[in-house]
Amino acid sequence: MANKYANLCIAVTGLNANDNPGPGMAVIRCLKECFRDGLRIIGLSYESLEPGIYLRDQVNKTYQLPYPTEGTAALVERLAYINGQEKLDLIIPNFDSELFNFIKIAPQLQQMGIATYLPTHQQLALRDKVNLKNFGTKNGFYVPADHKLYTTDDIKKAADEFNFPMVIKGKFYDAYVVYTMDQALKAFHQLYAAWGVPIIAQQYIKGNEINISALGDGNGYNISLVAMRKLYITDKGKAWAGVTIKDDKLTQLADNFARASNWKGGYEIEVMSDAEGHLYILEINPRFPAWVYLTAAAGQNQPVALAKIAMGEGVEPYADYQAGKLFVRYSWDHIADIADFQQISAFGEL
C-alpha cells in the first residue's frame, strides 16, 4: 500500500468547519486514515477564513479558487496554475454550488492528468430541490409537496396549501422551519439574499430524521451506503451528533435511487421517517455529507473508495457496516498568525 500510493496528491474543497460545516475536512480525515504519509493534501478555498486553510497538520498547502459565478474559464486557468505547482492526481469538490463548473471542466482536467469522479449535469439536475418532487413522483419515492417561491406573494399560496409549520429552503443551502407568516417572510428574504430564486417552500413532515451517505458507481448500483440517525440537530438543521443504524428499508431506498438515477460519485439522502413508517426524501445532496468520517468509523471509508475508483482501481462494493457508531461534533479554537491570513488574502496561497 505504501509504495502503491506514495506521492499521491489530492485537492479538496469545502474547508469551512463552522456551525454549518462543509464536508472537506471530514473527507481529508478519511483519506489520511488510509493513504497516511504518502498523501499530500491541497486545500482549495473560496474565503480567507475557512478553518481548513490554517490546519497545517491536515492541509499541506491551500490555494484560493475564483467563485463559481466567475465561470469555467477562470476555474480552468486557476487549476492549471495549481497543477503546475503541485501535479494533482485527483480533485474532490464538496460544495453543491461548484459542481456544475467542475462537471463541465472534467474532460479538461483529465487532459491535465487530474482525475475526478462526478455525476453528469443531467444527474445533478434531476435531484435538484426544484425538480425533486417530479423525480420522486416519476420513480415512486415519497417526497413532500413543494412550491417554488419567486416573490413574497408566492408564500401565501404555499401557506394556504400546506398550513404551518412548513419548511423554507434555499436553492443550494439552508432551510428554516417556519411557524408564522412573519417567520416565512424573514426566511424568504434571508435565502433570497444568499442564494437568489427560486426558493422552495416544502410541506413539513414530522418524524425521525435519518441521513444516508452513499457512493454510486454510475451504473445503477451503490459501492457503499451507511445510514445515520440524527441525535442532536442545530438551529440550521445540521447533525451535531448521530449514530449509525441498519434498516433494510433504508438500504432499499438508496439502492432504488442509484437505480433510478445511475448516480456516479458521493451523495447524501436526507430522509424523514413518519409515524406510518413512510420514508420521505427531503433532499438529495450531490456530494458527501459533513459527517462522512462516520462512514470510515463504521467500516466503509467512502472518500477512499471514491479516490481509488477515480484513479482507475477496481473496488468491490462494501457488504456491511457497524451499527451503533456514534459521532459528536465539537468546536475547537485553532490559533494561527495574522500573517497567514494576510498571505492567503493577498496572494491566494498558503
mmCIF file of all heavy atoms in Angstrom, residues 192-232:
data_model
loop_
_atom_site.group_PDB
_atom_site.id
_atom_site.type_symbol
_atom_site.label_atom_id
_atom_site.label_comp_id
_atom_site.label_asym_id
_atom_site.label_seq_id
_atom_site.Cartn_x
_atom_site.Cartn_y
_atom_site.Cartn_z
ATOM 1 N N TYR A 192 -33.176 34.609 -0.174
ATOM 2 C CA TYR A 192 -33.101 35.369 -1.431
ATOM 3 C C TYR A 192 -31.768 36.114 -1.515
ATOM 4 O O TYR A 192 -31.096 36.101 -2.559
ATOM 5 C CB TYR A 192 -34.269 36.351 -1.503
ATOM 6 C CG TYR A 192 -34.326 37.150 -2.782
ATOM 7 C CD1 TYR A 192 -35.018 36.666 -3.887
ATOM 8 C CD2 TYR A 192 -33.682 38.387 -2.899
ATOM 9 C CE1 TYR A 192 -35.072 37.398 -5.068
ATOM 10 C CE2 TYR A 192 -33.726 39.113 -4.070
ATOM 11 C CZ TYR A 192 -34.421 38.619 -5.157
ATOM 12 O OH TYR A 192 -34.466 39.336 -6.325
ATOM 13 N N ALA A 193 -31.378 36.738 -0.393
ATOM 14 C CA ALA A 193 -30.117 37.490 -0.367
ATOM 15 C C ALA A 193 -28.916 36.566 -0.541
ATOM 16 O O ALA A 193 -27.928 36.920 -1.186
ATOM 17 C CB ALA A 193 -29.998 38.259 0.945
ATOM 18 N N ALA A 194 -29.011 35.361 0.027
ATOM 19 C CA ALA A 194 -27.865 34.434 -0.018
ATOM 20 C C ALA A 194 -27.768 33.685 -1.342
ATOM 21 O O ALA A 194 -26.681 33.543 -1.894
ATOM 22 C CB ALA A 194 -27.966 33.435 1.139
ATOM 23 N N TRP A 195 -28.913 33.194 -1.860
ATOM 24 C CA TRP A 195 -28.852 32.257 -2.987
ATOM 25 C C TRP A 195 -29.709 32.628 -4.183
ATOM 26 O O TRP A 195 -29.653 31.969 -5.214
ATOM 27 C CB TRP A 195 -29.253 30.840 -2.518
ATOM 28 C CG TRP A 195 -28.462 30.364 -1.355
ATOM 29 C CD1 TRP A 195 -28.915 30.159 -0.080
ATOM 30 C CD2 TRP A 195 -27.070 30.063 -1.317
ATOM 31 N NE1 TRP A 195 -27.896 29.749 0.733
ATOM 32 C CE2 TRP A 195 -26.744 29.678 0.007
ATOM 33 C CE3 TRP A 195 -26.046 30.085 -2.263
ATOM 34 C CZ2 TRP A 195 -25.457 29.321 0.395
ATOM 35 C CZ3 TRP A 195 -24.763 29.725 -1.873
ATOM 36 C CH2 TRP A 195 -24.479 29.346 -0.564
ATOM 37 N N GLY A 196 -30.530 33.679 -4.050
ATOM 38 C CA GLY A 196 -31.408 34.035 -5.158
ATOM 39 C C GLY A 196 -32.614 33.114 -5.251
ATOM 40 O O GLY A 196 -32.880 32.317 -4.349
ATOM 41 N N VAL A 197 -33.343 33.233 -6.363
ATOM 42 C CA VAL A 197 -34.551 32.422 -6.551
ATOM 43 C C VAL A 197 -34.286 31.316 -7.577
ATOM 44 O O VAL A 197 -33.331 31.402 -8.341
ATOM 45 C CB VAL A 197 -35.738 33.310 -7.020
ATOM 46 C CG1 VAL A 197 -36.191 34.222 -5.911
ATOM 47 C CG2 VAL A 197 -35.383 34.095 -8.272
ATOM 48 N N PRO A 198 -35.094 30.247 -7.602
ATOM 49 C CA PRO A 198 -36.254 30.063 -6.737
ATOM 50 C C PRO A 198 -35.874 29.613 -5.328
ATOM 51 O O PRO A 198 -34.850 28.966 -5.132
ATOM 52 C CB PRO A 198 -37.043 28.963 -7.453
ATOM 53 C CG PRO A 198 -35.994 28.159 -8.163
ATOM 54 C CD PRO A 198 -34.950 29.145 -8.582
ATOM 55 N N ILE A 199 -36.731 29.994 -4.394
ATOM 56 C CA ILE A 199 -36.690 29.466 -3.034
ATOM 57 C C ILE A 199 -37.793 28.417 -2.960
ATOM 58 O O ILE A 199 -38.810 28.538 -3.655
ATOM 59 C CB ILE A 199 -36.881 30.613 -2.022
ATOM 60 C CG1 ILE A 199 -35.625 31.503 -2.038
ATOM 61 C CG2 ILE A 199 -37.155 30.097 -0.617
ATOM 62 C CD1 ILE A 199 -35.857 32.899 -1.585
ATOM 63 N N ILE A 200 -37.612 27.398 -2.169
ATOM 64 C CA ILE A 200 -38.582 26.303 -2.140
ATOM 65 C C ILE A 200 -39.307 26.276 -0.797
ATOM 66 O O ILE A 200 -38.665 26.284 0.258
ATOM 67 C CB ILE A 200 -37.896 24.932 -2.392
ATOM 68 C CG1 ILE A 200 -37.323 24.881 -3.816
ATOM 69 C CG2 ILE A 200 -38.881 23.775 -2.229
ATOM 70 C CD1 ILE A 200 -35.922 25.311 -3.966
ATOM 71 N N ALA A 201 -40.629 26.276 -0.865
ATOM 72 C CA ALA A 201 -41.447 26.001 0.319
ATOM 73 C C ALA A 201 -41.832 24.526 0.256
ATOM 74 O O ALA A 201 -42.321 24.055 -0.779
ATOM 75 C CB ALA A 201 -42.693 26.875 0.338
ATOM 76 N N GLN A 202 -41.587 23.807 1.340
ATOM 77 C CA GLN A 202 -41.835 22.365 1.340
ATOM 78 C C GLN A 202 -42.771 22.000 2.498
ATOM 79 O O GLN A 202 -42.677 22.561 3.595
ATOM 80 C CB GLN A 202 -40.504 21.614 1.484
ATOM 81 C CG GLN A 202 -40.583 20.135 1.154
ATOM 82 C CD GLN A 202 -39.200 19.470 1.245
ATOM 83 O OE1 GLN A 202 -38.597 19.403 2.311
ATOM 84 N NE2 GLN A 202 -38.699 18.984 0.122
ATOM 85 N N GLN A 203 -43.671 21.083 2.222
ATOM 86 C CA GLN A 203 -44.567 20.545 3.254
ATOM 87 C C GLN A 203 -43.736 19.980 4.415
ATOM 88 O O GLN A 203 -42.737 19.301 4.185
ATOM 89 C CB GLN A 203 -45.414 19.442 2.608
ATOM 90 C CG GLN A 203 -46.279 18.638 3.532
ATOM 91 C CD GLN A 203 -46.827 17.392 2.844
ATOM 92 O OE1 GLN A 203 -46.445 17.078 1.713
ATOM 93 N NE2 GLN A 203 -47.703 16.681 3.526
ATOM 94 N N TYR A 204 -44.129 20.304 5.627
ATOM 95 C CA TYR A 204 -43.399 19.827 6.813
ATOM 96 C C TYR A 204 -43.840 18.402 7.136
ATOM 97 O O TYR A 204 -45.028 18.116 7.255
ATOM 98 C CB TYR A 204 -43.682 20.749 7.999
ATOM 99 C CG TYR A 204 -43.015 20.322 9.293
ATOM 100 C CD1 TYR A 204 -41.662 20.538 9.500
ATOM 101 C CD2 TYR A 204 -43.757 19.712 10.309
ATOM 102 C CE1 TYR A 204 -41.044 20.154 10.679
ATOM 103 C CE2 TYR A 204 -43.155 19.325 11.494
ATOM 104 C CZ TYR A 204 -41.792 19.541 11.680
ATOM 105 O OH TYR A 204 -41.188 19.157 12.847
ATOM 106 N N ILE A 205 -42.864 17.505 7.266
ATOM 107 C CA ILE A 205 -43.133 16.113 7.633
ATOM 108 C C ILE A 205 -42.582 15.888 9.040
ATOM 109 O O ILE A 205 -41.401 16.138 9.295
ATOM 110 C CB ILE A 205 -42.468 15.113 6.652
ATOM 111 C CG1 ILE A 205 -42.874 15.412 5.198
ATOM 112 C CG2 ILE A 205 -42.798 13.675 7.049
ATOM 113 C CD1 ILE A 205 -44.315 15.158 4.874
ATOM 114 N N LYS A 206 -43.425 15.405 9.933
ATOM 115 C CA LYS A 206 -42.992 15.143 11.307
ATOM 116 C C LYS A 206 -42.505 13.702 11.403
ATOM 117 O O LYS A 206 -43.138 12.788 10.859
ATOM 118 C CB LYS A 206 -44.168 15.369 12.260
ATOM 119 C CG LYS A 206 -43.805 15.302 13.739
ATOM 120 C CD LYS A 206 -45.004 15.684 14.593
ATOM 121 C CE LYS A 206 -44.771 15.423 16.063
ATOM 122 N NZ LYS A 206 -43.639 16.138 16.642
ATOM 123 N N GLY A 207 -41.375 13.503 12.082
ATOM 124 C CA GLY A 207 -40.870 12.141 12.235
ATOM 125 C C GLY A 207 -39.424 12.120 12.675
ATOM 126 O O GLY A 207 -38.908 13.100 13.224
ATOM 127 N N ASN A 208 -38.761 10.990 12.456
ATOM 128 C CA ASN A 208 -37.344 10.824 12.797
ATOM 129 C C ASN A 208 -36.492 11.133 11.573
ATOM 130 O O ASN A 208 -36.742 10.593 10.492
ATOM 131 C CB ASN A 208 -37.065 9.387 13.267
ATOM 132 C CG ASN A 208 -37.683 9.104 14.618
ATOM 133 O OD1 ASN A 208 -37.612 9.933 15.521
ATOM 134 N ND2 ASN A 208 -38.313 7.942 14.757
ATOM 135 N N GLU A 209 -35.467 11.966 11.789
ATOM 136 C CA GLU A 209 -34.619 12.377 10.671
ATOM 137 C C GLU A 209 -33.432 11.426 10.543
ATOM 138 O O GLU A 209 -32.700 11.182 11.496
ATOM 139 C CB GLU A 209 -34.131 13.813 10.890
ATOM 140 C CG GLU A 209 -33.747 14.478 9.595
ATOM 141 C CD GLU A 209 -33.574 15.980 9.723
ATOM 142 O OE1 GLU A 209 -34.148 16.597 10.638
ATOM 143 O OE2 GLU A 209 -32.825 16.522 8.878
ATOM 144 N N ILE A 210 -33.282 10.899 9.341
ATOM 145 C CA ILE A 210 -32.234 9.926 9.035
ATOM 146 C C ILE A 210 -31.495 10.381 7.790
ATOM 147 O O ILE A 210 -32.120 10.897 6.852
ATOM 148 C CB ILE A 210 -32.846 8.522 8.799
ATOM 149 C CG1 ILE A 210 -33.531 8.010 10.079
ATOM 150 C CG2 ILE A 210 -31.783 7.524 8.333
ATOM 151 C CD1 ILE A 210 -34.519 6.906 9.830
ATOM 152 N N ASN A 211 -30.194 10.228 7.775
ATOM 153 C CA ASN A 211 -29.399 10.551 6.591
ATOM 154 C C ASN A 211 -28.680 9.303 6.098
ATOM 155 O O ASN A 211 -28.247 8.466 6.898
ATOM 156 C CB ASN A 211 -28.349 11.625 6.896
ATOM 157 C CG ASN A 211 -28.971 12.991 7.142
ATOM 158 O OD1 ASN A 211 -30.178 13.108 7.334
ATOM 159 N ND2 ASN A 211 -28.156 14.026 7.150
ATOM 160 N N ILE A 212 -28.537 9.204 4.789
ATOM 161 C CA ILE A 212 -27.791 8.104 4.177
ATOM 162 C C ILE A 212 -26.659 8.707 3.361
ATOM 163 O O ILE A 212 -26.896 9.541 2.490
ATOM 164 C CB ILE A 212 -28.678 7.246 3.255
ATOM 165 C CG1 ILE A 212 -29.891 6.695 4.016
ATOM 166 C CG2 ILE A 212 -27.866 6.114 2.624
ATOM 167 C CD1 ILE A 212 -30.968 6.116 3.107
ATOM 168 N N SER A 213 -25.433 8.298 3.660
ATOM 169 C CA SER A 213 -24.280 8.682 2.833
ATOM 170 C C SER A 213 -23.946 7.498 1.937
ATOM 171 O O SER A 213 -23.869 6.357 2.420
ATOM 172 C CB SER A 213 -23.081 9.033 3.723
ATOM 173 O OG SER A 213 -21.982 9.452 2.924
ATOM 174 N N ALA A 214 -23.771 7.769 0.649
ATOM 175 C CA ALA A 214 -23.572 6.669 -0.293
ATOM 176 C C ALA A 214 -22.621 7.058 -1.409
ATOM 177 O O ALA A 214 -22.323 8.229 -1.620
ATOM 178 C CB ALA A 214 -24.913 6.220 -0.866
ATOM 179 N N LEU A 215 -22.156 6.040 -2.122
ATOM 180 C CA LEU A 215 -21.249 6.217 -3.261
ATOM 181 C C LEU A 215 -21.787 5.398 -4.412
ATOM 182 O O LEU A 215 -21.834 4.160 -4.338
ATOM 183 C CB LEU A 215 -19.833 5.763 -2.880
ATOM 184 C CG LEU A 215 -18.763 5.816 -3.975
ATOM 185 C CD1 LEU A 215 -18.558 7.233 -4.479
ATOM 186 C CD2 LEU A 215 -17.447 5.242 -3.452
ATOM 187 N N GLY A 216 -22.249 6.087 -5.476
ATOM 188 C CA GLY A 216 -22.805 5.406 -6.639
ATOM 189 C C GLY A 216 -21.748 5.119 -7.687
ATOM 190 O O GLY A 216 -20.809 5.898 -7.871
ATOM 191 N N ASP A 217 -21.925 4.001 -8.410
ATOM 192 C CA ASP A 217 -20.905 3.588 -9.385
ATOM 193 C C ASP A 217 -21.181 4.098 -10.800
ATOM 194 O O ASP A 217 -20.404 3.832 -11.722
ATOM 195 C CB ASP A 217 -20.755 2.060 -9.393
ATOM 196 C CG ASP A 217 -21.939 1.324 -10.005
ATOM 197 O OD1 ASP A 217 -22.963 1.975 -10.329
ATOM 198 O OD2 ASP A 217 -21.854 0.084 -10.159
ATOM 199 N N GLY A 218 -22.290 4.834 -10.991
ATOM 200 C CA GLY A 218 -22.608 5.356 -12.321
ATOM 201 C C GLY A 218 -23.348 4.378 -13.207
ATOM 202 O O GLY A 218 -23.748 4.709 -14.320
ATOM 203 N N ASN A 219 -23.562 3.154 -12.708
ATOM 204 C CA ASN A 219 -24.250 2.118 -13.496
ATOM 205 C C ASN A 219 -25.467 1.558 -12.782
ATOM 206 O O ASN A 219 -25.921 0.454 -13.082
ATOM 207 C CB ASN A 219 -23.270 0.976 -13.819
ATOM 208 C CG ASN A 219 -22.134 1.430 -14.705
ATOM 209 O OD1 ASN A 219 -22.362 2.005 -15.764
ATOM 210 N ND2 ASN A 219 -20.907 1.213 -14.263
ATOM 211 N N GLY A 220 -25.982 2.318 -11.803
ATOM 212 C CA GLY A 220 -27.207 1.881 -11.143
ATOM 213 C C GLY A 220 -27.015 1.151 -9.836
ATOM 214 O O GLY A 220 -27.979 0.620 -9.273
ATOM 215 N N TYR A 221 -25.785 1.125 -9.337
ATOM 216 C CA TYR A 221 -25.512 0.410 -8.071
ATOM 217 C C TYR A 221 -24.736 1.297 -7.105
ATOM 218 O O TYR A 221 -24.029 2.223 -7.519
ATOM 219 C CB TYR A 221 -24.716 -0.871 -8.335
ATOM 220 C CG TYR A 221 -25.475 -1.875 -9.165
ATOM 221 C CD1 TYR A 221 -25.302 -1.923 -10.552
ATOM 222 C CD2 TYR A 221 -26.385 -2.754 -8.581
ATOM 223 C CE1 TYR A 221 -26.016 -2.831 -11.329
ATOM 224 C CE2 TYR A 221 -27.104 -3.665 -9.346
ATOM 225 C CZ TYR A 221 -26.915 -3.701 -10.715
ATOM 226 O OH TYR A 221 -27.618 -4.593 -11.494
ATOM 227 N N ASN A 222 -24.846 0.975 -5.819
ATOM 228 C CA ASN A 222 -24.055 1.640 -4.782
ATOM 229 C C ASN A 222 -22.853 0.795 -4.418
ATOM 230 O O ASN A 222 -22.978 -0.416 -4.185
ATOM 231 C CB ASN A 222 -24.910 1.870 -3.525
ATOM 232 C CG ASN A 222 -25.932 2.959 -3.710
ATOM 233 O OD1 ASN A 222 -25.614 4.050 -4.187
ATOM 234 N ND2 ASN A 222 -27.181 2.686 -3.333
ATOM 235 N N ILE A 223 -21.695 1.438 -4.357
ATOM 236 C CA ILE A 223 -20.483 0.774 -3.881
ATOM 237 C C ILE A 223 -20.487 0.753 -2.361
ATOM 238 O O ILE A 223 -19.961 -0.153 -1.733
ATOM 239 C CB ILE A 223 -19.236 1.512 -4.417
ATOM 240 C CG1 ILE A 223 -19.162 1.354 -5.932
ATOM 241 C CG2 ILE A 223 -17.953 0.998 -3.768
ATOM 242 C CD1 ILE A 223 -18.447 2.466 -6.632
ATOM 243 N N SER A 224 -21.109 1.782 -1.778
ATOM 244 C CA SER A 224 -21.152 1.897 -0.323
ATOM 245 C C SER A 224 -22.396 2.674 0.069
ATOM 246 O O SER A 224 -22.838 3.569 -0.645
ATOM 247 C CB SER A 224 -19.908 2.626 0.185
ATOM 248 O OG SER A 224 -20.054 3.017 1.539
ATOM 249 N N LEU A 225 -22.988 2.316 1.213
ATOM 250 C CA LEU A 225 -24.008 3.166 1.832
ATOM 251 C C LEU A 225 -24.023 2.919 3.329
ATOM 252 O O LEU A 225 -23.879 1.793 3.790
ATOM 253 C CB LEU A 225 -25.391 2.948 1.201
ATOM 254 C CG LEU A 225 -26.145 1.645 1.409
ATOM 255 C CD1 LEU A 225 -27.077 1.742 2.622
ATOM 256 C CD2 LEU A 225 -26.983 1.328 0.174
ATOM 257 N N VAL A 226 -24.135 4.024 4.074
ATOM 258 C CA VAL A 226 -24.176 3.992 5.541
ATOM 259 C C VAL A 226 -25.294 4.930 5.986
ATOM 260 O O VAL A 226 -25.351 6.090 5.551
ATOM 261 C CB VAL A 226 -22.836 4.441 6.163
ATOM 262 C CG1 VAL A 226 -22.940 4.557 7.681
ATOM 263 C CG2 VAL A 226 -21.715 3.467 5.784
ATOM 264 N N ALA A 227 -26.180 4.437 6.851
ATOM 265 C CA ALA A 227 -27.302 5.249 7.348
ATOM 266 C C ALA A 227 -27.010 5.718 8.770
ATOM 267 O O ALA A 227 -26.398 4.997 9.572
ATOM 268 C CB ALA A 227 -28.592 4.442 7.318
ATOM 269 N N MET A 228 -27.463 6.932 9.064
ATOM 270 C CA MET A 228 -27.214 7.560 10.368
ATOM 271 C C MET A 228 -28.489 8.270 10.830
ATOM 272 O O MET A 228 -29.129 8.968 10.043
ATOM 273 C CB MET A 228 -26.059 8.563 10.217
ATOM 274 C CG MET A 228 -25.742 9.407 11.431
ATOM 275 S SD MET A 228 -26.699 10.947 11.578
ATOM 276 C CE MET A 228 -26.061 11.922 10.223
ATOM 277 N N ARG A 229 -28.860 8.056 12.097
ATOM 278 C CA ARG A 229 -29.988 8.801 12.666
ATOM 279 C C ARG A 229 -29.467 9.987 13.438
ATOM 280 O O ARG A 229 -28.557 9.856 14.256
ATOM 281 C CB ARG A 229 -30.823 7.901 13.594
ATOM 282 C CG ARG A 229 -32.086 8.604 14.129
ATOM 283 C CD ARG A 229 -33.082 7.608 14.671
ATOM 284 N NE ARG A 229 -32.562 6.896 15.816
ATOM 285 C CZ ARG A 229 -32.615 7.321 17.083
ATOM 286 N NH1 ARG A 229 -33.145 8.500 17.365
ATOM 287 N NH2 ARG A 229 -32.134 6.582 18.062
ATOM 288 N N LYS A 230 -30.018 11.167 13.166
ATOM 289 C CA LYS A 230 -29.589 12.374 13.870
ATOM 290 C C LYS A 230 -30.049 12.321 15.327
ATOM 291 O O LYS A 230 -31.220 12.050 15.598
ATOM 292 C CB LYS A 230 -30.170 13.626 13.193
ATOM 293 C CG LYS A 230 -29.606 13.904 11.803
ATOM 294 C CD LYS A 230 -30.184 15.202 11.243
ATOM 295 C CE LYS A 230 -29.605 15.544 9.880
ATOM 296 N NZ LYS A 230 -30.134 16.806 9.348
ATOM 297 N N LEU A 231 -29.134 12.592 16.232
ATOM 298 C CA LEU A 231 -29.443 12.616 17.660
ATOM 299 C C LEU A 231 -29.513 14.037 18.206
ATOM 300 O O LEU A 231 -30.211 14.299 19.183
ATOM 301 C CB LEU A 231 -28.389 11.834 18.454
ATOM 302 C CG LEU A 231 -28.275 10.342 18.154
ATOM 303 C CD1 LEU A 231 -27.166 9.721 19.010
ATOM 304 C CD2 LEU A 231 -29.597 9.627 18.424
ATOM 305 N N TYR A 232 -28.740 14.933 17.602
ATOM 306 C CA TYR A 232 -28.740 16.337 18.035
ATOM 307 C C TYR A 232 -28.656 17.199 16.790
ATOM 308 O O TYR A 232 -27.788 16.981 15.947
ATOM 309 C CB TYR A 232 -27.555 16.615 18.966
ATOM 310 C CG TYR A 232 -27.556 18.010 19.556
ATOM 311 C CD1 TYR A 232 -28.206 18.273 20.760
ATOM 312 C CD2 TYR A 232 -26.926 19.062 18.911
ATOM 313 C CE1 TYR A 232 -28.225 19.547 21.292
ATOM 314 C CE2 TYR A 232 -26.932 20.342 19.434
ATOM 315 C CZ TYR A 232 -27.588 20.580 20.629
ATOM 316 O OH TYR A 232 -27.617 21.846 21.147
#
